Amino acid sequence: MQRDPRAFLWDVQQAAEAITAFTAGLDVLDYRASPLIRSAVERQFEIIGEALNRLSKEAPDLADRVPNLRKIVSFRNLLIHGYAVVDDGRVWEIVTTMLPSLRATVTALLTDLGPPDV
């Protein structure tokens, strides 16, 4: 049985909200200084990338509505496969400049489409 494609968007939304909560009140120096926060943020980005990768395979028309989807999936791949060369400054930049837009897009899509079937 195929998963409701909206569930992938919900996973993205939940992971983005977690990243936002994990990094609230921090700056890049705080982020770099905390292996716990870095690990938590990277894990949530992995979830975002995997959810969007699956969405692109199961509901390509819906996936096309998510800007930069391929870049997001590539970032997930870098975090998993290129773990030894992850640039904390780049991750922080994505948290602060790109994540808010992704969050807004996914929230708007879920508002438009309704919540996933459980």
Side-chain angles (χ1 to χ4, degrees):
M1 178 179 204
Q2 231 180 7
R3 189 170 188 217
D4 181 341
R6 295 171 296 179
F8 297 118
L9 293 173
W10 188 85
D11 291 341
V12 171
Q13 183 183 51
Q14 296 303 299
E17 288 176 5
I19 292 169
T20 301
F22 297 161
T23 59
L26 302 181
D27 62 21
V28 68
L29 296 176
D30 297 325
Y31 178 76
R32 284 185 168 142
S34 176
L36 180 65
I37 298 294
R38 290 194 322 269
S39 295
V41 166
E42 289 173 17
R43 174 65 180 144
Q44 296 306 309
F45 273 125
E46 291 168 3
I47 290 169
I48 289 170
E50 183 62 19
L52 291 177
N53 188 44
R54 290 183 184 191
L55 180 68
S56 71
K57 292 175 181 164
E58 294 189 23
D61 291 344
L62 182 55
D64 287 344
R65 296 173 65 182
V66 179
N68 301 309
L69 184 138
R70 296 279 24 117
K71 287 182 180 180
I72 296 166
V73 172
S74 293
F75 182 59
R76 172 252 184 223
N77 293 340
L78 171 71
L79 291 172
I80 291 174
H81 303 294
Y83 66 91
V85 293
V86 172
D87 179 348
D88 296 332
R90 179 68 178 136
V91 174
W92 182 255
E93 181 182 342
I94 291 168
V95 167
T96 58
T97 64
M98 298 174 183
L99 187 65
S101 174
L102 175 63
R103 240 180 116 189
T105 296
V106 170
T107 297
L109 285 170
L110 286 169
T111 298
D112 184 45
L113 299 169
D117 293 334
V118 179

